[in-house]
Amino acid sequence: MSSQPGKSLTEAERDQRVLELFHQLIEVEQRLIPTGLHVFGRPTEVGERADMLRMIASFDRPEAGVRALPDLVSENLGLGSYDALLKSASLNQSRVLEREQVNNLVSAAIHEFLQGGSEVAVSLLERTSNINRQDSMPVFALLEQISKQLETNNEVEALLRALRGEFIEPGPGADIVQNPAILPTGRNTHAVNPYTIPSTMAFDRAEAVAGNLLKRYLAENGRYPRAIALVLWGLDNIKTQGEGVAQAFWLLGVRPVRDSLNRVTEVEAIPLEELKRPRIDVVMTVSGIFRDLFSPTVLLLDKAVRLVARLDEPPEMNYLRRHVLEQVGNDVCRFDDAVARVFSNAPGNYGTNVNFMVTDSQWERDETLGDLFVTRKCFAYGRDSQGCAVEGREARAEMDQALGRVEATYQNIDTFEIGITDVDHYFEYLGGISKAVETRAQVRPSIYLSDSLSRDGRIRSLEETVRLESRAKTLNPKWYEGMLKHGFRGVAEIESHVSNTFGWSATADAVDDWIYTGVAETFVLDEAMLERLRTLNPHSAHSLVGRLLEAHGRGYWDADVNLLGKLREISGSLEDQLEGVA
Amino acid sequence: MKSIVSKGKAVKLQVTVLYVGSSLLAPLKNAEREISREYKLDLRVAAYNFGSPLNQHEWSEVDHDLAASDVVFVIHVMDGENAARLVPALERYRERHHAVIVINCMPELMRMMRMGSLDVGTFFRDDSTDKKKRRGEGETRGRGDRERKKSNRAFQFLNAAGSWVSRQAGGRRIGNLSKGRHGHGHYLKLVDKLPTILRFMPTAGRLRDVKNYLYLFCYFLQPTPRNIRSMILFALKHYVKDGRLRKLKINIPAPEALPSAAIYHPDAPKLFETFEEYRKWYLRPSPKSKLQSSKAKQLALDADSTVGLLLMRPQVVSKTTKHYDALIHAIEDEGLSVIPAISTLMDNREACQNFFMDTSKSPTSNVQRPTSKIRTTDKGQPTMDKQHSRVSQIVSLTGFSFVGGPAMNDSVASSAFLRNLNRPYRSAVSLDTQSIEAWRESLTGLNPIQAGMQIAIPEIDGATEPFVYGGISATDVEPVALEDRCQRFARRLRRANRLRRVPRSELKLALVLFCFPPTKGNIGTAADLDVFPSVWDILKKLKADGYDVEIPASSEELRGRLLGGNSETFGATANIAYRMDADEYRRLCPYVDEIEPEWGSAPGRINSFGNELLIQGLTLGKVFLGVQPTFGYEGDPMRLMMARGGAPHHGFIAFYTYLTEVMNVDAVIHIGTHGALEFMPGKQVGLSGACWPDRLVGELPNFYIYSVNNPSEGSIAKRRSYAQLISYLTPPMENAGLYRELAALKDLLLAYRQTTDEREREGLFHTIEEYSRTLNFSAGLPPPPPAYRLPKFNRFHSVPKRLDPI
């Protein structure tokens, strides 16, 4: 960001800059992060439960008759809806103060709840925020139940019962903020009926997220993206009842239609007058797991693409149709080939292998990772014009063509618990497809992620997300000290975060130099820290240092020469330690 | 399907039946044959399974048959896509069809029903205009009103009979079924009451056709071969009006009835309406009986060795039970007894209650084994012995949800009932909407309809082991068993049963850890789980529960022994518990020939040493703590670049071969999210014996402790490696907070906000700008999209060598 030194800003401009900085800081500060690991069968340490409970209380839960606390406070203080407050607070200092007022009252209520129980919290909110007891009581009843459930843990008992041939109850799978009904654990986690997705609620929520995605691209580029590559996973689509799928529908401009059994088996076009923007060409890469768990949905997505491609609409308002017609015209290829947009692995295969190739340092040329992605993912699914199932037809040329038009890549993220540097799957998918686009479109796409659990359906660029994850987790003492409490495994976790961050360099060049420098300073150059790591888990400590050197070696990190020298020295001494020389 | 050439003067007639499932085809073909022969007709019954969307080619065949049909039956069609094509086709041939009889279909199809004066489409229209009129003009009392009332009641009944499934599903939203009235009770009553009701209904006037419909419905509800024959004949007799049948004297027997709940056994002469009757028969002395060996006799109907099966009633009634029969015999061949109960479509609870639970208060006559003592003294969990269950496992063969039937699922009621019964609940699949050939050839396995209906929904009830055990061949008219699958499934049931029967001190268990990427530092890879303390806790609890296990002094010692031991000697990641030489491996593993083309001759280069395959792990008494090998292609760019993986490598196979053939463990417990077994090549769901996860896990009961926030990958493990998931909690979460320089920056921002002095504010602003820049914060509008960044400099001068080649 160029700050144009020397040129003085007006007061209003300065205020605006400070406000924006403030929001960025708050974003880090309020990010929920895990503060350790779980031990099977042990209850969560009581510790600080306030943040999580406040987060749980920040969502409407119509199924339990519970309204979100911030909304109750905001509305009863006469500040209007909390959503509107969030929106205007990004531009307006006085609204920021009102938002803080609401948040402080909510925090105070949670604090009171933890100290004295529901009754005290309810009374407090009655006094401070004019909230009727019958409105706030259900919230605290829920929190009370969750607190109670967290105090006991029967996971080992459940395992023993299963071994004895007893019934293990089914339960939903999600994180606790999304769905407190995951408690108690020790149950048989199940997926969802694929015919129920996307749910009506997911479809409504997706409208905002898809809208924000397009708005952001528009703001940065002055026009809508003609084609977006989407990554769809089973993970978030189970937990959100299909928000990712619904986002694809919105980009295409279709809505799901339920049959008389309430199953989603059809789609219909949203008229352009209603959509008020062009339909986007959407190239979907679904994980092998999504393909398996949502096989009817795969057909539905393909159906949506075919429907949109056949709409008689002007090409400037229907990018998908435009591209399909162009391709049929230019290449004299079949409609069925030109319209392939739903890709996954070959049947019975999973994953892109991009993560394996990256973590094992097995690639040399930059485009190899993108090619690998396409090799693994170029199998088209759906049904052909004759209505016959297409069970993973190898369609490399079609995928190359489709990706060649892509201008933005995107993945929906639904949870705080699994972040983009927590596992290697995010960079293998979103990073892998971005690299594939880069070589095919001859330009690096804009890369976005959503935060669908955020109240306003926020969109972040990949770079912003990597920074946020690094600040909130990898470089945050609260996070790594939490991990180090777990000794051996904790060091492996830290190493794996660094490797996954490296994955974002390898696939998308999305990691700032300061992040690597921060990692080096925090974990390697700090002698006391290095000593801890090498005592707890020398293997992972050695890998971590090696990864930093590799980041530099591959040109992802413009590191200071002295610093590099020290890293090499430390790497050598760790090697000696492992080989028993030292 | 070719049309039948009319022979001689035989009257040519055609009936087309569009149905779902596998119980109707055989009785329909039987009816075609018998009716043609008996009445010297040239009757063709064209039947199509409408369970999944048809392709263009299949549809044109249906269209062709619809064009030539005198009578059309549409039964149980719930597929929106098929319905959307069927409705206009039925309109198109309206003149041609003498009757269109619709049973249990979605409303848009119900409206297409036409029989004589009964035209449901018109009725729906009439009904709505009728109501408006009444509201406007007030009701006229008298005869007309009574007539209307009577006919309305009849129509209501017709509606209830014809479309209960769809009405319920249409009106249902998640969750309210368990609170609301249950429709399945309704259905049961209908089965029993209808014939009586029919006797009191008039045979003339507008109601005549309603009555006829209800007759047809009665025949359909009890789809015995005779009833299905009657159903066809009844429709022909009453609705083919053009004189072709006038000269014939057609006799149609009254509907025959079978009990709505009963126990079936392929070797028995009849259905049993009580468990006592069944027991008497099952324990009968018979020279031919399989139960004569003394061991089997001892087990007969022992509550700890009896599998409760839930069968689909229509399948038994229509005598299309070859697949059931084979599975039942396969289970008995494993030394287990069976109670195969007929369940209704909608609710399995009654059958379970009646036949699987001993409701009499007297204790069961089972011999008490030493293990049961431990079981009953467990604190916390009420034990199943109080329930007097007669079965040790439940296997549903219905392919539907436990409570709710084909179109919905009341998982709350289901799991409440099953929790009370407290026995493992399995749901096995017979191929209903695709042929055996289609499944076998398919790379993906089950089609989307079955994967949704028969796998995903039963899972919500808590079902495990989604085994495909039978189906209907493209050239056949009734389902048959897949013998090899039945045997494997039966053996899995036997192995699961061992865990109940054998004293725990004699059971051998394997705990399997993951290690990815495969370096020492990563042993115990699992999302959000601190694996070694977890395993240590598990070991201690296992010991307390009676298993024979050696407990290291601490979790650190446990880790030290696993990572250390003899690992250096073999250059391995972990201690080597067993060395399997290539000859032994070849002898024990039947798949070596399939692996060698891909991975070279055994032992290969992964997890091997000389001529031996290395099994990584630690033996702790009768518990083996193993380390699962990885995919094996991580470090191999050639293999990584392959679009399709073939076989697992020798080391991977050897690991599971060791568990099943050498150590012969009784169960495996996989620790944490996630490993490689369930992602090995094969069908995606509904595996065959050629799929690698099926081969590897074999008959071994598989338990998998799994992160609760990963239902997607967990479901893959459940479906592809028959895992029983036990969820674990994710770590506590807190706000990230601000630290060091970030906290200082926030202070500066707050100071700026609070300062009113303009000069001071300007000064602060510059400090903020500078400070935020050093902290790499960019303020202002979102940055422009990054330009394509060329490599900064040569990227390859120091790529480090990775550790641990194993």
Side-chain angles (χ1 to χ4, degrees), chain B residues 170-195:
Chain B
R172 176 181 177 261
R173 292 295 175 271
I174 294 160
N176 69 5
L177 184 65
S178 46
K179 289 168 207 147
R181 189 172 62 92
H182 284 272
H184 21 75
H186 210 60
Y187 167 82
L188 276 179
K189 281 185 204 125
L190 216 57
V191 178
D192 295 337
K193 276 189 192 162
L194 252 186

Side-chain angles (χ1 to χ4, degrees), chain B residues 193-373:
Chain B
K193 276 189 192 162
L194 252 186
T196 328
I197 293 167
L198 284 178
R199 268 191 278 141
F200 298 106
M201 275 180 76
T203 0
R206 208 181 169 197
L207 284 184
R208 192 197 60 203
D209 294 304
V210 174
K211 183 170 181 173
N212 283 347
Y213 177 76
L214 293 175
Y215 259 109
L216 289 166
F217 191 65
C218 276
Y219 288 121
F220 165 75
L221 279 180
Q222 310 266 2
T224 61
R226 197 180 87 179
N227 277 353
I228 292 301
R229 177 180 168 278
S230 300
M231 181 179 88
I232 300 290
L233 213 44
F234 192 97
L236 292 174
K237 176 179 173 180
H238 289 89
Y239 293 98
V240 176
K241 290 285 162 54
D242 56 5
R244 279 180 284 172
L245 296 174
R246 198 161 291 158
K247 288 176 204 144
L248 297 173
K249 239 180 113 98
I250 296 178
N251 266 324
I252 304 176
E256 60 180 348
L258 289 170
S260 55
I263 300 177
Y264 163 85
H265 195 287
D267 304 341
K270 57 165 190 144
L271 296 174
F272 304 95
E273 290 195 64
T274 67
F275 175 73
E276 266 318 303
E277 263 183 88
Y278 176 69
R279 203 177 71 91
K280 241 176 251 162
W281 172 82
Y282 204 76
L283 302 180
R284 75 205 179 281
S286 147
K288 274 194 287 176
S289 168
K290 288 200 177 93
L291 301 167
Q292 285 310 294
S293 85
S294 60
K295 192 179 168 214
K297 202 173 188 179
Q298 190 191 334
L299 288 179
L301 292 179
D302 175 294
D304 269 353
S305 310
T306 298
V307 175
L309 292 144
L310 293 166
L311 315 180
M312 282 262 273
R313 186 171 183 284
Q315 215 81 52
V316 174
V317 172
S318 66
K319 299 190 168 31
T320 50
T321 53
K322 285 181 185 166
H323 55 327
Y324 290 169
D325 301 352
L327 181 61
I328 287 167
H329 286 139
I331 294 171
E332 288 179 335
D333 285 347
E334 296 300 321
L336 300 171
S337 306
V338 289
I339 307 177
I342 295 178
S343 79
T344 67
L345 218 53
M346 303 302 280
D347 193 342
N348 288 295
R349 287 179 298 187
E350 195 190 4
C352 289
Q353 191 84 45
N354 285 352
F355 304 124
F356 299 165
M357 285 165 97
D358 185 359
T359 43
S360 68
K361 291 285 174 197
S362 66
T364 50
S365 56
N366 294 340
V367 192
Q368 293 286 315
R369 277 174 310 282
T371 52
S372 60
K373 210 175 198 175

